[in-house]
Amino acid sequence: MPALKLAIVGGGSTYTPELIDGFARLRDALPIGELVLVDPDSERLELIEGLTRRIFAKQGHGARVSTAATIADGAQDVDAVLLQLRVGGQAARAEDESWPLECGCIGQETTGAGGLAKALRTVPVVLDIAEQVRRANPDAWIVDFTNPVGIVTRALLAAGHKAVGLCNVAIGFQRRFARHLGVDPERIRLDHVGLNHLTWERGVTLLDRPGAETGRAVLPELLANYGDAIAGDLGMPLSLLRHLGVVPSYYLRYFYQHDVMVEELLAKGTRAEEVAAIERQLLTMYADPTLDTKPELLEKRGGAYYSEAAVQLLAALLGTAGGSVQVVNTRNDGILPFLPDDAVIEVPARVDAAGIRPLPQRPVEPLYRGLIAHVTTYEELALDAALHGGRSRVFDALLAHPLVGQVELADELTDLLLAHNHEHLSWA
C-alpha cells in the first residue's frame, strides 16, 4: 500500500508533538508519507513544524512535513484529517472552569455548563472545517479529538461526514490494567459502555493472546488486588468501586461527588491555569533547535496514549493493519436500545477498511442507563443550541443537564454563559 498522507487541523497545538512521537515510533503500523500541519497561527505552526522534522529525523522517519494556513490547502489528497481544536484557547477554557463555580456548579471544560459553552463555540467551527474538507477531499476520514467529543462527533455524523470520535479514557484504562497484571496491553479488552466522558468498565477480559476472541474475566481480581490504586487514580472511594463492581470513568466524579468536587475546584484553582503555564514552558522548549524528542513535561499537558489510540484507529480504518476492536465514539443505531439511533455512544467497535461497526452490548444496568439517557437528552439539546443559537435553547440544555436541572440555576448560568462567550457566538 502506498504511504499515507495525513493532516492535523490544530497542528500548532503544544500537544501535537505527542502525536508526532507516536507516528514516528509506530511507523510500521501507520506508514505516513506526508504530514500536513494546519493552523492559522503561523508562529506556533513554525515551532511545531521544526520540532516535527527533528523528531522524525531523530527516529529515522522519512515522511515529508509541510504546513498550511487553510483547510482547503491542507486537505488536498489526504487520507484522513485529525481535528484537535480549542476555540478561544486556554483563556476560554479558564472561563469555562470559573464562572459555573460562581453558582455552586462544576467548572469543567467538557462537563456541565462549561462543557456546554465549549460545545457552543466549537460545533459551528468544526462543521465549517468539515465542509471544507468534504469539498477538497470527500473520501477523507475525519477523526475528532476535539472536546466535547460526543457532541462534536454527533454534529459531524448528523451532517453526513465520514467521521469518528476518539478519546483516551479507554486506552488509559487498558494500559493501567495491563500494568497491574503485568501483561501486554493488547491482551486487555474492555467492556466499556456509555457516552464520551460518561463511561463505565463493566468487565475486563484478559485475552489468551493479542487479537484472540477468548480469555478470562479479571475485573473482580483487579478490584480485589489493586482496588486502592485504581480508586486513587480515579479520586473515588474504594468502597464505591467495590459496591458497584465496575470501574467508572474519572469524569463520573463530577456526578457522584459533585459538591465535593466544587469545593475542591474552588480551593485549588482551574486546570486551565496549570495548562497555560505548562504551554508557555513547552513553547520555549520547542523553540530550541536542538530539541528532537518529545519533552517529558508534555506528559503533564494531558492526553496520555492519544498517539497510540490514533495510530491504532487510523491503521485499521485506512487498511494498513488488519481489523481490530477499538473503543470509539460512533452512531448508536440500536446498540443501546434505550437511546435514539442518532445518539453518539462510546463503545468497543470492529474497525477496519470497511468502516466502523459497534459491537452488540449486553443490557445496561438501570443505575447507568438512567444517567446515560439523561445526558444524551442534554447532548441533543446542546447540539440544537450550537446549530441554531438562541438564549432559550441554551436555557433548555442547561435545565436538562443532570448537574443543573433547576430553573433559577439554569437561568443564572445561561446569562453567565452568554456574557462570557458573546465574542465567539455570532447570534449572542
Side-chain angles (χ1 to χ4, degrees), residues 161-221:
H161 295 289
K162 191 177 175 182
V164 61
L166 187 62
C167 180
N168 71 327
V169 168
I171 195 171
F173 277 129
Q174 181 199 47
R175 297 302 201 261
R176 291 188 191 97
F177 295 158
R179 282 200 303 272
H180 289 315
L181 297 174
V183 300
D184 181 342
E186 300 309 312
R187 291 184 61 197
I188 298 294
R189 181 169 294 179
L190 304 174
D191 177 2
H192 178 107
V193 69
L195 312 175
N196 180 241
H197 290 183
L198 194 87
T199 52
W200 296 261
E201 310 305 330
R202 297 189 296 167
V204 180
T205 301
L206 176 61
L207 301 175
D208 295 331
R209 64 184 183 282
E213 294 299 325
T214 56
R216 64 182 179 89
V218 294
L219 180 55
E221 174 186 336

Short mmCIF file of all heavy atoms in Angstrom, two decimals, residues 161-221:
data_model
loop_
_atom_site.label_atom_id
_atom_site.label_comp_id
_atom_site.label_asym_id
_atom_site.label_seq_id
_atom_site.Cartn_x
_atom_site.Cartn_y
_atom_site.Cartn_z
N HIS A 161 -20.92 13.59 7.51
CA HIS A 161 -19.48 13.49 7.31
C HIS A 161 -18.97 12.08 7.66
O HIS A 161 -19.56 11.37 8.47
CB HIS A 161 -18.75 14.54 8.13
CG HIS A 161 -19.05 15.94 7.70
ND1 HIS A 161 -18.60 16.46 6.51
CD2 HIS A 161 -19.81 16.91 8.29
CE1 HIS A 161 -19.05 17.70 6.38
NE2 HIS A 161 -19.77 18.00 7.44
N LYS A 162 -17.89 11.72 7.04
CA LYS A 162 -17.23 10.43 7.27
C LYS A 162 -16.33 10.59 8.49
O LYS A 162 -15.14 10.86 8.38
CB LYS A 162 -16.42 10.08 6.01
CG LYS A 162 -15.87 8.68 5.95
CD LYS A 162 -15.15 8.49 4.62
CE LYS A 162 -14.47 7.14 4.52
NZ LYS A 162 -13.74 7.00 3.22
N ALA A 163 -16.93 10.44 9.67
CA ALA A 163 -16.26 10.87 10.89
C ALA A 163 -16.38 9.85 12.00
O ALA A 163 -17.31 9.03 12.04
CB ALA A 163 -16.83 12.21 11.36
N VAL A 164 -15.43 9.93 12.93
CA VAL A 164 -15.43 9.11 14.13
C VAL A 164 -14.77 9.93 15.23
O VAL A 164 -13.89 10.76 14.97
CB VAL A 164 -14.67 7.79 13.89
CG1 VAL A 164 -13.22 8.04 13.53
CG2 VAL A 164 -14.76 6.86 15.11
N GLY A 165 -15.23 9.73 16.46
CA GLY A 165 -14.64 10.42 17.60
C GLY A 165 -13.73 9.50 18.39
O GLY A 165 -13.97 8.29 18.48
N LEU A 166 -12.70 10.09 18.99
CA LEU A 166 -11.71 9.30 19.73
C LEU A 166 -11.36 10.00 21.03
O LEU A 166 -11.13 11.21 21.05
CB LEU A 166 -10.45 9.09 18.88
CG LEU A 166 -9.39 8.15 19.44
CD1 LEU A 166 -9.93 6.74 19.59
CD2 LEU A 166 -8.16 8.15 18.54
N CYS A 167 -11.30 9.21 22.10
CA CYS A 167 -10.94 9.71 23.43
C CYS A 167 -9.89 8.78 24.02
O CYS A 167 -9.78 7.62 23.62
CB CYS A 167 -12.19 9.75 24.31
SG CYS A 167 -11.92 10.35 26.01
N ASN A 168 -9.14 9.27 24.99
CA ASN A 168 -8.07 8.45 25.57
C ASN A 168 -8.45 7.76 26.87
O ASN A 168 -7.61 7.09 27.48
CB ASN A 168 -6.81 9.30 25.79
CG ASN A 168 -6.99 10.30 26.92
OD1 ASN A 168 -8.08 10.81 27.16
ND2 ASN A 168 -5.91 10.62 27.61
N VAL A 169 -9.69 7.90 27.32
CA VAL A 169 -10.08 7.28 28.59
C VAL A 169 -9.94 5.76 28.52
O VAL A 169 -9.35 5.13 29.41
CB VAL A 169 -11.52 7.68 28.98
CG1 VAL A 169 -12.03 6.81 30.12
CG2 VAL A 169 -11.56 9.15 29.40
N ALA A 170 -10.47 5.14 27.46
CA ALA A 170 -10.45 3.68 27.38
C ALA A 170 -9.03 3.14 27.28
O ALA A 170 -8.66 2.19 28.00
CB ALA A 170 -11.28 3.21 26.19
N ILE A 171 -8.21 3.73 26.41
CA ILE A 171 -6.84 3.21 26.27
C ILE A 171 -6.05 3.46 27.55
O ILE A 171 -5.17 2.68 27.90
CB ILE A 171 -6.15 3.82 25.03
CG1 ILE A 171 -4.89 3.00 24.69
CG2 ILE A 171 -5.80 5.29 25.24
CD1 ILE A 171 -4.24 3.38 23.38
N GLY A 172 -6.40 4.52 28.28
CA GLY A 172 -5.75 4.75 29.56
C GLY A 172 -6.05 3.64 30.55
O GLY A 172 -5.16 3.14 31.24
N PHE A 173 -7.33 3.22 30.62
CA PHE A 173 -7.69 2.10 31.49
C PHE A 173 -7.00 0.82 31.02
O PHE A 173 -6.51 0.02 31.82
CB PHE A 173 -9.20 1.90 31.51
CG PHE A 173 -9.93 2.77 32.47
CD1 PHE A 173 -11.02 3.53 32.07
CD2 PHE A 173 -9.53 2.85 33.80
CE1 PHE A 173 -11.70 4.34 32.96
CE2 PHE A 173 -10.21 3.66 34.71
CZ PHE A 173 -11.30 4.41 34.29
N GLN A 174 -6.99 0.59 29.71
CA GLN A 174 -6.35 -0.62 29.18
C GLN A 174 -4.90 -0.69 29.64
O GLN A 174 -4.42 -1.74 30.11
CB GLN A 174 -6.42 -0.63 27.66
CG GLN A 174 -5.80 -1.86 27.03
CD GLN A 174 -5.46 -1.66 25.57
OE1 GLN A 174 -4.88 -0.64 25.19
NE2 GLN A 174 -5.85 -2.62 24.74
N ARG A 175 -4.18 0.42 29.49
CA ARG A 175 -2.76 0.45 29.87
C ARG A 175 -2.58 0.27 31.38
O ARG A 175 -1.67 -0.43 31.83
CB ARG A 175 -2.11 1.76 29.41
CG ARG A 175 -2.09 1.98 27.90
CD ARG A 175 -1.37 0.84 27.19
NE ARG A 175 -0.91 1.19 25.87
CZ ARG A 175 -1.53 0.90 24.72
NH1 ARG A 175 -2.69 0.27 24.75
NH2 ARG A 175 -1.01 1.23 23.55
N ARG A 176 -3.42 0.91 32.19
CA ARG A 176 -3.28 0.78 33.65
C ARG A 176 -3.56 -0.65 34.10
O ARG A 176 -2.83 -1.21 34.93
CB ARG A 176 -4.24 1.74 34.36
CG ARG A 176 -3.90 3.21 34.21
CD ARG A 176 -4.78 4.07 35.09
NE ARG A 176 -4.64 5.47 34.78
CZ ARG A 176 -5.47 6.15 33.99
NH1 ARG A 176 -6.50 5.54 33.42
NH2 ARG A 176 -5.28 7.43 33.75
N PHE A 177 -4.63 -1.24 33.57
CA PHE A 177 -4.96 -2.61 33.97
C PHE A 177 -3.86 -3.58 33.54
O PHE A 177 -3.52 -4.51 34.27
CB PHE A 177 -6.30 -3.03 33.35
CG PHE A 177 -7.49 -2.25 33.85
CD1 PHE A 177 -8.65 -2.18 33.10
CD2 PHE A 177 -7.45 -1.57 35.06
CE1 PHE A 177 -9.76 -1.47 33.54
CE2 PHE A 177 -8.55 -0.86 35.53
CZ PHE A 177 -9.71 -0.81 34.76
N ALA A 178 -3.30 -3.36 32.35
CA ALA A 178 -2.21 -4.22 31.87
C ALA A 178 -1.00 -4.13 32.79
O ALA A 178 -0.35 -5.15 33.09
CB ALA A 178 -1.84 -3.85 30.44
N ARG A 179 -0.68 -2.91 33.25
CA ARG A 179 0.45 -2.74 34.16
C ARG A 179 0.21 -3.49 35.47
O ARG A 179 1.11 -4.14 36.00
CB ARG A 179 0.70 -1.26 34.45
CG ARG A 179 1.42 -0.53 33.33
CD ARG A 179 2.06 0.75 33.85
NE ARG A 179 1.10 1.64 34.48
CZ ARG A 179 0.38 2.56 33.82
NH1 ARG A 179 0.50 2.68 32.51
NH2 ARG A 179 -0.46 3.34 34.48
N HIS A 180 -1.01 -3.38 36.00
CA HIS A 180 -1.31 -4.09 37.25
C HIS A 180 -1.11 -5.59 37.08
O HIS A 180 -0.59 -6.26 37.99
CB HIS A 180 -2.75 -3.81 37.69
CG HIS A 180 -2.97 -2.42 38.20
ND1 HIS A 180 -2.12 -1.79 39.07
CD2 HIS A 180 -3.99 -1.53 37.95
CE1 HIS A 180 -2.58 -0.58 39.35
NE2 HIS A 180 -3.70 -0.40 38.69
N LEU A 181 -1.52 -6.12 35.94
CA LEU A 181 -1.46 -7.57 35.72
C LEU A 181 -0.14 -8.02 35.12
O LEU A 181 0.11 -9.23 35.01
CB LEU A 181 -2.62 -8.00 34.80
CG LEU A 181 -4.03 -7.75 35.35
CD1 LEU A 181 -5.07 -8.08 34.29
CD2 LEU A 181 -4.27 -8.59 36.60
N GLY A 182 0.70 -7.07 34.71
CA GLY A 182 1.99 -7.42 34.13
C GLY A 182 1.88 -8.11 32.78
O GLY A 182 2.63 -9.06 32.51
N VAL A 183 0.96 -7.63 31.94
CA VAL A 183 0.73 -8.27 30.64
C VAL A 183 0.80 -7.23 29.53
O VAL A 183 0.77 -6.02 29.76
CB VAL A 183 -0.64 -8.99 30.59
CG1 VAL A 183 -0.71 -10.06 31.66
CG2 VAL A 183 -1.80 -7.99 30.74
N ASP A 184 0.89 -7.72 28.30
CA ASP A 184 0.83 -6.88 27.10
C ASP A 184 -0.52 -6.16 27.07
O ASP A 184 -1.57 -6.81 27.20
CB ASP A 184 1.00 -7.77 25.87
CG ASP A 184 0.98 -7.00 24.55
OD1 ASP A 184 0.52 -5.84 24.53
OD2 ASP A 184 1.41 -7.58 23.54
N PRO A 185 -0.55 -4.85 26.90
CA PRO A 185 -1.83 -4.14 26.86
C PRO A 185 -2.79 -4.68 25.81
O PRO A 185 -4.02 -4.60 25.99
CB PRO A 185 -1.43 -2.69 26.54
CG PRO A 185 -0.03 -2.57 27.03
CD PRO A 185 0.59 -3.91 26.82
N GLU A 186 -2.26 -5.22 24.71
CA GLU A 186 -3.14 -5.73 23.66
C GLU A 186 -3.89 -6.99 24.09
O GLU A 186 -4.79 -7.44 23.37
CB GLU A 186 -2.33 -6.01 22.39
CG GLU A 186 -1.63 -4.77 21.82
CD GLU A 186 -2.57 -3.58 21.67
OE1 GLU A 186 -3.66 -3.76 21.11
OE2 GLU A 186 -2.21 -2.48 22.12
N ARG A 187 -3.55 -7.53 25.25
CA ARG A 187 -4.31 -8.66 25.78
C ARG A 187 -5.48 -8.22 26.65
O ARG A 187 -6.25 -9.07 27.10
CB ARG A 187 -3.39 -9.59 26.58
CG ARG A 187 -2.37 -10.34 25.73
CD ARG A 187 -1.58 -11.32 26.59
NE ARG A 187 -2.46 -12.32 27.21
CZ ARG A 187 -2.10 -13.09 28.25
NH1 ARG A 187 -0.88 -12.95 28.78
NH2 ARG A 187 -2.94 -13.98 28.76
N ILE A 188 -5.62 -6.93 26.87
CA ILE A 188 -6.72 -6.42 27.70
C ILE A 188 -7.84 -5.92 26.81
O ILE A 188 -7.64 -5.04 25.95
CB ILE A 188 -6.24 -5.27 28.62
CG1 ILE A 188 -5.17 -5.77 29.60
CG2 ILE A 188 -7.42 -4.65 29.35
CD1 ILE A 188 -5.67 -6.77 30.61
N ARG A 189 -9.02 -6.48 26.99
CA ARG A 189 -10.21 -5.99 26.27
C ARG A 189 -11.23 -5.51 27.30
O ARG A 189 -11.50 -6.19 28.28
CB ARG A 189 -10.82 -7.08 25.39
CG ARG A 189 -12.05 -6.59 24.61
CD ARG A 189 -12.49 -7.58 23.55
NE ARG A 189 -11.49 -7.70 22.50
CZ ARG A 189 -11.62 -8.52 21.45
NH1 ARG A 189 -12.69 -9.28 21.33
NH2 ARG A 189 -10.67 -8.57 20.54
N LEU A 190 -11.79 -4.34 27.05
CA LEU A 190 -12.70 -3.69 27.99
C LEU A 190 -14.15 -3.85 27.58
O LEU A 190 -14.50 -3.74 26.40
CB LEU A 190 -12.37 -2.20 28.07
CG LEU A 190 -10.94 -1.81 28.43
CD1 LEU A 190 -10.76 -0.31 28.33
CD2 LEU A 190 -10.57 -2.31 29.83
N ASP A 191 -14.98 -4.08 28.57
CA ASP A 191 -16.44 -3.96 28.40
C ASP A 191 -16.78 -2.53 28.81
O ASP A 191 -17.16 -2.24 29.94
CB ASP A 191 -17.16 -4.98 29.28
CG ASP A 191 -18.68 -4.87 29.21
OD1 ASP A 191 -19.18 -4.03 28.45
OD2 ASP A 191 -19.35 -5.63 29.94
N HIS A 192 -16.58 -1.63 27.86
CA HIS A 192 -16.63 -0.18 28.08
C HIS A 192 -17.93 0.33 27.47
O HIS A 192 -18.20 0.11 26.29
CB HIS A 192 -15.41 0.42 27.38
CG HIS A 192 -15.29 1.91 27.42
ND1 HIS A 192 -14.37 2.56 28.22
CD2 HIS A 192 -15.94 2.89 26.74
CE1 HIS A 192 -14.46 3.87 28.03
NE2 HIS A 192 -15.40 4.09 27.13
N VAL A 193 -18.75 1.03 28.26
CA VAL A 193 -20.04 1.45 27.74
C VAL A 193 -20.42 2.82 28.28
O VAL A 193 -20.08 3.18 29.41
CB VAL A 193 -21.15 0.42 28.09
CG1 VAL A 193 -21.45 0.41 29.59
CG2 VAL A 193 -22.42 0.65 27.27
N GLY A 194 -21.10 3.59 27.44
CA GLY A 194 -21.63 4.89 27.85
C GLY A 194 -21.48 5.93 26.77
O GLY A 194 -21.55 5.63 25.57
N LEU A 195 -21.30 7.16 27.22
CA LEU A 195 -21.09 8.30 26.35
C LEU A 195 -19.68 8.84 26.60
O LEU A 195 -19.06 8.51 27.61
CB LEU A 195 -22.11 9.41 26.64
CG LEU A 195 -23.58 9.02 26.74
CD1 LEU A 195 -24.40 10.23 27.15
CD2 LEU A 195 -24.08 8.43 25.43
N ASN A 196 -19.20 9.68 25.71
CA ASN A 196 -17.89 10.28 25.94
C ASN A 196 -17.87 11.00 27.29
O ASN A 196 -18.75 11.79 27.61
CB ASN A 196 -17.57 11.26 24.82
CG ASN A 196 -16.22 11.91 24.99
OD1 ASN A 196 -16.11 13.12 25.11
ND2 ASN A 196 -15.17 11.11 25.02
N HIS A 197 -16.86 10.69 28.09
CA HIS A 197 -16.68 11.23 29.43
C HIS A 197 -17.82 10.85 30.37
O HIS A 197 -18.06 11.53 31.37
CB HIS A 197 -16.49 12.76 29.40
CG HIS A 197 -15.17 13.15 28.81
ND1 HIS A 197 -14.76 14.47 28.73
CD2 HIS A 197 -14.17 12.42 28.24
CE1 HIS A 197 -13.56 14.52 28.15
NE2 HIS A 197 -13.20 13.29 27.85
N LEU A 198 -18.50 9.76 30.05
CA LEU A 198 -19.56 9.24 30.93
C LEU A 198 -19.63 7.73 30.70
O LEU A 198 -20.57 7.22 30.12
CB LEU A 198 -20.91 9.90 30.64
CG LEU A 198 -21.98 9.67 31.70
CD1 LEU A 198 -21.87 10.73 32.80
CD2 LEU A 198 -23.38 9.69 31.10
N THR A 199 -18.59 7.01 31.14
CA THR A 199 -18.47 5.59 30.82
C THR A 199 -18.12 4.77 32.05
O THR A 199 -17.60 5.28 33.04
CB THR A 199 -17.38 5.36 29.74
OG1 THR A 199 -16.16 6.00 30.17
CG2 THR A 199 -17.81 5.90 28.39
N TRP A 200 -18.38 3.48 31.92
CA TRP A 200 -18.08 2.52 32.96
C TRP A 200 -17.39 1.31 32.33
O TRP A 200 -17.78 0.86 31.24
CB TRP A 200 -19.35 2.04 33.65
CG TRP A 200 -20.09 3.09 34.39
CD1 TRP A 200 -20.06 3.34 35.74
CD2 TRP A 200 -21.02 4.05 33.85
NE1 TRP A 200 -20.88 4.39 36.06
CE2 TRP A 200 -21.49 4.85 34.92
CE3 TRP A 200 -21.49 4.32 32.56
CZ2 TRP A 200 -22.41 5.87 34.75
CZ3 TRP A 200 -22.40 5.35 32.38
CH2 TRP A 200 -22.86 6.12 33.46
N GLU A 201 -16.38 0.76 33.03
CA GLU A 201 -15.79 -0.50 32.63
C GLU A 201 -16.54 -1.59 33.39
O GLU A 201 -16.31 -1.83 34.57
CB GLU A 201 -14.29 -0.55 32.97
CG GLU A 201 -13.48 0.65 32.49
CD GLU A 201 -13.61 0.91 31.01
OE1 GLU A 201 -13.82 -0.06 30.24
OE2 GLU A 201 -13.51 2.08 30.61
N ARG A 202 -17.47 -2.25 32.69
CA ARG A 202 -18.31 -3.26 33.35
C ARG A 202 -17.64 -4.63 33.38
O ARG A 202 -18.10 -5.53 34.07
CB ARG A 202 -19.66 -3.37 32.65
CG ARG A 202 -20.48 -2.09 32.71
CD ARG A 202 -21.87 -2.33 32.18
NE ARG A 202 -21.87 -2.70 30.76
CZ ARG A 202 -22.93 -3.21 30.12
NH1 ARG A 202 -24.04 -3.45 30.79
NH2 ARG A 202 -22.86 -3.48 28.83
N GLY A 203 -16.58 -4.77 32.62
CA GLY A 203 -15.85 -6.02 32.61
C GLY A 203 -14.49 -5.80 31.99
O GLY A 203 -14.29 -4.87 31.21
N VAL A 204 -13.53 -6.63 32.35
CA VAL A 204 -12.19 -6.62 31.77
C VAL A 204 -11.84 -8.06 31.45
O VAL A 204 -11.90 -8.93 32.32
CB VAL A 204 -11.15 -6.01 32.74
CG1 VAL A 204 -9.77 -6.02 32.11
CG2 VAL A 204 -11.55 -4.60 33.15
N THR A 205 -11.46 -8.31 30.20
CA THR A 205 -11.07 -9.65 29.77
C THR A 205 -9.58 -9.69 29.48
O THR A 205 -9.07 -8.82 28.76
CB THR A 205 -11.84 -10.07 28.50
OG1 THR A 205 -13.24 -10.05 28.78
CG2 THR A 205 -11.44 -11.47 28.06
N LEU A 206 -8.91 -10.67 30.05
CA LEU A 206 -7.51 -10.93 29.72
C LEU A 206 -7.51 -11.97 28.61
O LEU A 206 -7.80 -13.15 28.84
CB LEU A 206 -6.74 -11.44 30.94
CG LEU A 206 -5.28 -11.83 30.69
CD1 LEU A 206 -4.46 -10.65 30.19
CD2 LEU A 206 -4.66 -12.43 31.95
N LEU A 207 -7.24 -11.51 27.38
CA LEU A 207 -7.27 -12.40 26.23
C LEU A 207 -6.15 -13.43 26.30
O LEU A 207 -5.08 -13.17 26.86
CB LEU A 207 -7.15 -11.58 24.94
CG LEU A 207 -8.24 -10.52 24.70
CD1 LEU A 207 -7.92 -9.70 23.46
CD2 LEU A 207 -9.61 -11.18 24.58
N ASP A 208 -6.39 -14.57 25.69
CA ASP A 208 -5.37 -15.61 25.67
C ASP A 208 -4.11 -15.15 24.96
O ASP A 208 -3.00 -15.57 25.29
CB ASP A 208 -5.93 -16.87 24.99
CG ASP A 208 -7.08 -17.48 25.79
OD1 ASP A 208 -7.09 -17.32 27.02
OD2 ASP A 208 -7.96 -18.11 25.17
N ARG A 209 -4.29 -14.28 24.00
CA ARG A 209 -3.16 -13.68 23.26
C ARG A 209 -3.71 -12.42 22.59
O ARG A 209 -4.92 -12.28 22.43
CB ARG A 209 -2.59 -14.65 22.22
CG ARG A 209 -3.57 -15.01 21.13
CD ARG A 209 -3.03 -16.04 20.15
NE ARG A 209 -3.99 -16.29 19.09
CZ ARG A 209 -5.06 -17.05 19.20
NH1 ARG A 209 -5.33 -17.64 20.37
NH2 ARG A 209 -5.89 -17.21 18.18
N PRO A 210 -2.87 -11.48 22.17
CA PRO A 210 -3.37 -10.29 21.47
C PRO A 210 -4.20 -10.68 20.25
O PRO A 210 -3.78 -11.51 19.45
CB PRO A 210 -2.09 -9.55 21.06
CG PRO A 210 -1.09 -9.96 22.10
CD PRO A 210 -1.41 -11.41 22.40
N GLY A 211 -5.37 -10.09 20.14
CA GLY A 211 -6.24 -10.36 19.00
C GLY A 211 -7.12 -11.57 19.15
O GLY A 211 -7.97 -11.83 18.29
N ALA A 212 -6.95 -12.35 20.22
CA ALA A 212 -7.77 -13.55 20.42
C ALA A 212 -9.21 -13.17 20.76
O ALA A 212 -9.48 -12.06 21.22
CB ALA A 212 -7.17 -14.42 21.52
N GLU A 213 -10.11 -14.10 20.56
CA GLU A 213 -11.51 -13.89 20.92
C GLU A 213 -11.84 -14.51 22.27
O GLU A 213 -12.94 -14.32 22.78
CB GLU A 213 -12.42 -14.48 19.84
CG GLU A 213 -12.31 -13.78 18.48
CD GLU A 213 -12.71 -12.31 18.56
OE1 GLU A 213 -13.63 -11.98 19.35
OE2 GLU A 213 -12.10 -11.49 17.84
N THR A 214 -10.92 -15.28 22.83
CA THR A 214 -11.18 -15.95 24.10
C THR A 214 -10.23 -15.45 25.17
O THR A 214 -9.12 -14.98 24.90
CB THR A 214 -10.99 -17.47 23.94
OG1 THR A 214 -9.67 -17.74 23.44
CG2 THR A 214 -12.02 -18.04 22.98
N GLY A 215 -10.67 -15.55 26.41
CA GLY A 215 -9.87 -15.12 27.54
C GLY A 215 -10.66 -15.32 28.82
O GLY A 215 -11.69 -15.97 28.84
N ARG A 216 -10.17 -14.71 29.91
CA ARG A 216 -10.87 -14.87 31.19
C ARG A 216 -11.17 -13.51 31.80
O ARG A 216 -10.42 -12.53 31.61
CB ARG A 216 -10.05 -15.72 32.16
CG ARG A 216 -8.72 -15.13 32.59
CD ARG A 216 -7.96 -16.08 33.52
NE ARG A 216 -6.67 -15.55 33.93
CZ ARG A 216 -6.49 -14.79 35.01
NH1 ARG A 216 -7.52 -14.50 35.79
NH2 ARG A 216 -5.27 -14.36 35.32
N ALA A 217 -12.25 -13.44 32.53
CA ALA A 217 -12.68 -12.21 33.18
C ALA A 217 -11.77 -11.90 34.37
O ALA A 217 -11.53 -12.78 35.20
CB ALA A 217 -14.12 -12.33 33.64
N VAL A 218 -11.27 -10.68 34.45
CA VAL A 218 -10.31 -10.34 35.51
C VAL A 218 -10.69 -9.08 36.29
O VAL A 218 -9.93 -8.66 37.15
CB VAL A 218 -8.88 -10.18 34.94
CG1 VAL A 218 -8.36 -11.50 34.41
CG2 VAL A 218 -8.83 -9.10 33.85
N LEU A 219 -11.87 -8.50 36.03
CA LEU A 219 -12.22 -7.28 36.76
C LEU A 219 -12.33 -7.53 38.27
O LEU A 219 -11.80 -6.73 39.06
CB LEU A 219 -13.52 -6.67 36.22
CG LEU A 219 -13.97 -5.38 36.91
CD1 LEU A 219 -12.88 -4.31 36.90
CD2 LEU A 219 -15.26 -4.85 36.26
N PRO A 220 -12.98 -8.62 38.73
CA PRO A 220 -13.00 -8.85 40.18
C PRO A 220 -11.60 -8.97 40.77
O PRO A 220 -11.34 -8.47 41.87
CB PRO A 220 -13.78 -10.17 40.30
CG PRO A 220 -14.65 -10.21 39.08
CD PRO A 220 -13.81 -9.60 38.00
N GLU A 221 -10.70 -9.61 40.04
CA GLU A 221 -9.31 -9.74 40.50
C GLU A 221 -8.64 -8.38 40.59
O GLU A 221 -7.91 -8.09 41.56
CB GLU A 221 -8.56 -10.65 39.52
CG GLU A 221 -7.08 -10.78 39.77
CD GLU A 221 -6.38 -11.58 38.68
OE1 GLU A 221 -7.04 -12.40 38.01
OE2 GLU A 221 -5.16 -11.39 38.51
#
